[in-house]
């Protein structure tokens, strides 16, 4: 291994969001939907897409990231972990009654990891841990080779378990997917 200087960062993040409740039940839902939860969702100012609904909330997000850079300033590795703590239940919904998500006191713990294996190889992972039932809700892993802009190969695996959010325990919403893609003219 060559003699290289590395720099590591430690980046705590604290994000507070308050949005007052306003009754929107008389407004039809045209294009709003709930955003898919992910690490970057921890820092958004609304849980809905579209303009038909504005979510009410009183929440605090705590997150921590760490990065490692080489002596040329290139990011070699990154790890992040965070969770939203809700200080009250959310009342605004897409449907007439609140679902399980609006009544939870905290979001899943979201974590992501990225590592440059070599100059042309990257590996990454993302995971959501449900603290209520101590299970992995979402996980994905990906590997990428990119020698230049015209030569890219990706391999990924995705897992999602939405079974806990269904009203019928006999239904399964578990998804396992493998993804292989690339460009090589």
């Amino acid at each position: 291994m060559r003699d290289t200087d590395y720099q590591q960062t430690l980046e705590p993040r604290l994000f507070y969001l308050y949005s007052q409740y306003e009754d929107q039940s008389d407004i039809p839902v045209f294009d709003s939907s709930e955003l898919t939860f992910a690490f970057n969702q921890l820092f958004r100012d609304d849980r809905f897409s579209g303009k038909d609904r504005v979510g009410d909330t009183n929440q605090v997000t705590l997150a921590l990231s760490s990065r490692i850079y080489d002596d040329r300033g290139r990011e070699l590795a990154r790890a992040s972990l965070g969770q939203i703590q809700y200080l009250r239940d959310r009342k605004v919904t897409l449907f007439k009654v609140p679902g399980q998500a609006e009544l939870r006191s905290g979001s899943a713990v979201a974590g992501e990891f990225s590592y440059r294996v070599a100059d042309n190889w990257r590996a990454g992972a993302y995971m959501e841990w449900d603290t209520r039932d101590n299970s992995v809700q979402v996980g994905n892993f990906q590997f990428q080779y990119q020698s230049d802009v015209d030569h890219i190969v990706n391999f990924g695996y995705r897992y999602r378990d939405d079974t806990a959010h269904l009203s019928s325990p006999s239904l399964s919403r578990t998804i396992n997917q493998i993804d292989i893609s690339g460009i090589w003219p």
Side-chain angles (χ1 to χ4, degrees):
M1 185 171 210
R2 65 177 211 236
D3 194 21
T4 305
D5 290 329
Y6 296 100
Q7 181 178 19
Q8 182 178 8
T9 67
L10 190 60
E11 307 163 24
R13 289 180 77 177
L14 175 66
F15 178 75
Y16 174 72
L17 176 62
Y18 175 80
S19 182
Q20 185 173 328
Y21 169 74
E22 195 169 317
D23 185 9
Q24 301 163 51
S25 60
D26 60 338
I27 302 170
V29 176
F30 292 106
D31 66 347
S32 288
S33 64
E34 291 218 35
L35 295 167
T36 302
F37 184 76
F39 185 80
N40 63 355
Q41 182 75 8
L42 297 173
F43 308 101
R44 292 195 184 195
D45 59 2
D46 197 354
R47 66 183 185 275
F48 300 112
S49 68
K51 302 294 182 194
D52 310 330
R53 293 290 181 268
V54 176
D56 64 313
T57 193
N58 190 6
Q59 68 186 48
V60 174
T61 299
L62 298 169
L64 184 66
S65 295
S66 182
R67 301 170 202 262
I68 298 175
Y69 296 95
D70 67 11
D71 56 357
R72 293 172 29 194
R74 296 180 302 178
E75 183 181 273
L76 300 176
R78 177 183 68 243
S80 300
L81 193 65
Q83 183 181 32
I84 299 172
Q85 290 298 312
Y86 299 106
L87 305 176
R88 67 165 194 204
D89 291 343
R90 279 80 52 223
K91 296 178 185 176
V92 175
T93 65
L94 292 175
F95 310 106
K96 300 290 183 198
V97 295
Q100 288 182 351
E102 287 85 13
L103 302 176
R104 294 187 69 177
S105 62
S107 71
V109 175
E112 57 184 10
F113 176 76
S114 175
Y115 179 69
R116 182 167 3 111
V117 180
D119 282 341
N120 300 329
W121 289 91
R122 290 199 69 81
Y126 174 76
M127 186 176 293
E128 291 174 20
W129 180 263
D130 187 338
T131 56
R132 286 184 312 170
D133 59 4
N134 290 322
S135 66
V136 175
Q137 284 182 325
V138 175
N140 69 52
F141 306 95
Q142 61 271 349
F143 297 95
Q144 181 185 67
Y145 172 81
Q146 181 175 7
S147 62
D148 56 46
V149 98
D150 290 328
H151 298 91
I152 302 170
V153 177
N154 299 301
F155 172 79
Y157 168 74
R158 285 184 291 281
Y159 169 82
R160 179 176 293 275
D161 184 7
D162 283 341
T163 306
H165 300 106
L166 296 174
S167 57
S168 173
S170 62
L171 296 175
S172 175
R173 291 278 312 262
T174 302
I175 299 170
N176 286 288
Q177 296 176 326
I178 293 176
D179 178 16
I180 300 172
S181 63
I183 179 171
W184 206 280

